[in-house]
Amino acid sequence: MIRASAAILLALAAMTANAEEEFKFDASEFDKKPYEFNGYLEQKFETLKLRGDSSAYRLAFPGEPAQDWLQRSTSTLELSGKANYQSLAADVRAQASYQGDDLVHTTNYGQVMEGGLRWSVGPELSFDIGKRVQRWGKGYAWSPVGLVERPKDPSDPTASREGFVMASGEWTRSFSGPVSSINFTGMVVPTNDNLNNDFGREEDLNPAAKLYLLAFDTDIDLMWRGKGAKPEAFGIDFSRNLTPALEVHGEWARTLDAPRNTVSASGLTSSGQINFNSWLLGLRYLTKSEVTWVAEYYRNGAGYSANQLDDYYAFLDRALAPGASPALSSKARTVAQSGYGKANPGTDYLYLKASVSEPFDWVYGAASVTAMTNLKDGSWQLQPEVSYTGFANWELRSRVIFFGGQPNAEFPTKSSSMRVEAYARYFF
């Protein structure tokens, strides 16, 4: 698999397209169509270099014998459709997938990712009901103000996400002056035992709101989430172009009375409530050579200190060691799900990405390198990637993810030390 992925990388780098396409403008393409249908079919291959003797491996693959390598294949079909009738619009996006390897096989026969009905009362007012993905915040890798959405995957921030069922209303108004645009969105995200279980299981309407302002050439959002299945939270974000090549953005959010669980190295757990602030500051810069740089610092107020993570890793080693009691192993899995098992459970992170389109005159090609580090324990993740879109309706992509740092730090304690991915996606 590694040789095949390396061959893909070299083949993509060698591809060029010399034919120039004639540009044509057709105004009818921008008319609202009564029906729209599209989607993609994706085949993905992965090779993972496993840490078969680690507690993270035993946590991810309970009861499985240790092994060094794992080959995984994932097939995904995503379909999207939209219908427009006067002031009404109905849409749906659904996925079906199959993932298989030597240890686990998972089949998803069909899952609605988002969809619903939208009624545009007029150019300034609309109402929406259905399953929606809210994209709050200006951050690229993280979004502290994403109060009503599933968190991003920092390793693949643009990956498709599932929404929550909600009802919302949106009002927009434009002005002449320093404040040129206002947009207000209010919503409810109802939860109970059968609805929005990932948001919370308590029966509640969970109100939330966002106010957007374009003021003095700066994008500003004010957000709020009422107390319900999740704690009350509020925040603000901004984005501003300082020059045509330099953009600065930031986010800040405060959460009140949030539950927090900790565990000692011996396995003693404690629970409580805390108020915490999370924030992000980043920039995006385009160089004269057309290399785009994205840098972000993320402060995770709900994260665990380096000492708390050391205690957690020590507890995992003890609870998941060969011969450990089933009760202790079960407790380790419960603790992991309480917060320690999140993508970035620490407090301070730095993200840096450099990307370029058509490097070395490689037409339709793109390349990037992404680095992420836990600033408290010094562990890191490095991710080079290439892609090619020179074939009509096709996207080819390959990347390698390396994890490094001191033992018992965040990234080296994952179940794998390296992952190679290659996929082909066909759009229709």
Side-chain angles (χ1 to χ4, degrees):
M1 180 63 197
I2 292 179
R3 290 195 297 269
S5 298
I8 291 175
L9 292 171
L10 294 174
L12 290 177
M15 290 181 180
T16 58
N18 297 321
E20 296 184 358
E21 298 181 359
E22 181 182 357
F23 175 76
K24 296 180 180 180
F25 177 78
D26 185 357
S28 64
E29 295 181 356
F30 296 91
D31 295 337
K32 182 182 289 188
K33 301 176 181 178
Y35 303 101
E36 297 178 30
F37 176 77
N38 54 67
Y40 67 81
L41 179 64
E42 176 186 291
Q43 183 61 49
K44 179 179 179 181
F45 299 98
E46 298 174 85
T47 293
L48 292 83
K49 189 178 189 310
L50 299 174
R51 300 172 60 249
D53 58 346
S54 68
S55 57
Y57 177 88
R58 290 188 285 271
L59 184 68
F61 307 105
E64 298 292 343
Q67 59 185 75
D68 295 328
W69 296 93
L70 184 68
Q71 310 291 333
R72 178 178 295 161
S73 174
T74 306
S75 302
T76 304
L77 173 65
E78 179 168 300
L79 301 176
S80 301
K82 185 175 183 180
N84 298 294
Y85 177 73
Q86 296 181 357
S87 60
L88 296 175
D91 68 285
V92 66
R93 178 172 63 90
Q95 274 191 2
S97 63
Y98 171 80
Q99 183 179 89
D101 54 50
D102 295 338
L103 302 177
V104 180
H105 295 266
T106 305
T107 302
N108 172 16
Y109 292 102
Q111 180 177 15
V112 176
M113 304 295 285
E114 62 179 329
L117 182 66
R118 184 178 182 88
W119 176 35
S120 299
V121 181
E124 297 180 348
L125 180 64
S126 64
F127 296 95
D128 188 285
I129 185 169
K131 196 173 190 178
R132 295 302 181 198
V133 179
Q134 298 293 333
R135 296 174 175 85
W136 291 6
K138 301 295 190 289
Y140 183 80
W142 301 279
S143 288
V145 297
L147 306 181
V148 289
E149 59 189 275
R150 288 177 170 82
K152 297 177 182 177
D153 176 4
S155 298
D156 195 0
T158 61
S160 177
R161 288 181 288 165
E162 182 185 358
F164 291 112
V165 176
M166 61 183 65
S168 64
E170 183 176 346
W171 175 78
T172 303
R173 187 72 181 271
S174 298
F175 305 91
S176 59
V179 179
S180 57
S181 181
I182 293 179
N183 176 283
F184 177 79
T185 304
M187 66 186 65
V188 292
V189 189
T191 54
N192 54 44
D193 289 338
N194 302 311
L195 186 64
N196 289 328
N197 288 337
D198 290 347
F199 194 87
R201 292 184 176 273
E202 297 181 15
E203 187 170 347
D204 203 287
L205 288 177
N206 303 295
K210 182 181 74 167
L211 176 65
Y212 164 78
L213 304 171
L214 178 55
F216 302 95
D217 297 324
T218 303
D219 291 309
I220 302 173
D221 292 291
L222 302 173
M223 298 88 160
W224 167 79
R225 181 186 66 206
K227 183 178 181 181
K230 287 183 179 291
E232 183 178 7
F234 52 89
I236 184 173
D237 70 24
F238 77 92
S239 174
R240 181 179 176 86
N241 289 322
L242 301 181
T243 71
L246 178 62
E247 177 264 356
V248 178
H249 58 270
E251 301 181 22
W252 173 86
R254 180 167 179 80
T255 304
L256 306 177
D257 298 325
R260 180 181 174 84
N261 302 304
T262 57
V263 64
S264 68
S266 62
L268 181 64
T269 59
S270 60
S271 301
Q273 290 184 328
I274 62 169
N275 301 329
F276 66 87
N277 301 317
S278 294
W279 56 275
L280 175 147
L281 186 62
L283 60 85
R284 184 187 301 267
Y285 179 65
L286 179 64
T287 68
K288 293 182 179 179
S289 57
E290 298 188 347
V291 177
T292 299
W293 289 86
V294 176
E296 289 184 343
Y297 169 77
Y298 173 46
R299 170 66 180 181
N300 179 16
Y304 298 96
S305 68
N307 289 335
Q308 289 173 328
L309 289 177
D310 285 343
D311 288 343
Y312 168 66
Y313 299 139
F315 168 64
L316 283 189
D317 289 341
R318 175 172 170 263
L320 298 174
S325 69
L328 200 58
S329 299
S330 177
K331 184 176 183 179
R333 292 179 175 83
T334 301
V335 169
Q337 294 172 358
S338 68
Y340 286 96
K342 292 182 179 180
N344 297 125
T347 58
D348 296 87
Y349 293 90
L350 182 64
Y351 177 94
L352 185 64
K353 179 176 182 179
S355 58
V356 59
S357 296
E358 302 187 355
F360 310 108
D361 296 324
W362 174 29
V363 182
Y364 300 113
S368 67
V369 177
T370 304
M372 186 191 314
T373 181
N374 182 323
L375 295 174
K376 292 298 184 180
D377 63 24
S379 62
W380 49 267
Q381 172 182 309
L382 185 64
Q383 180 178 308
E385 179 177 325
V386 295
S387 63
Y388 182 74
T389 57
F391 305 115
N393 302 325
W394 282 90
E395 179 187 10
L396 306 179
R397 179 182 173 191
S398 185
R399 65 178 184 171
V400 185
I401 304 177
F402 302 97
F403 303 105
Q406 296 294 323
N408 293 329
E410 177 185 343
F411 292 105
T413 54
K414 294 184 179 294
S415 59
S416 61
S417 60
M418 182 186 70
R419 186 165 81 241
V420 181
E421 300 179 359
Y423 76 65
R425 180 179 290 185
Y426 175 72
F427 297 90
F428 53 86

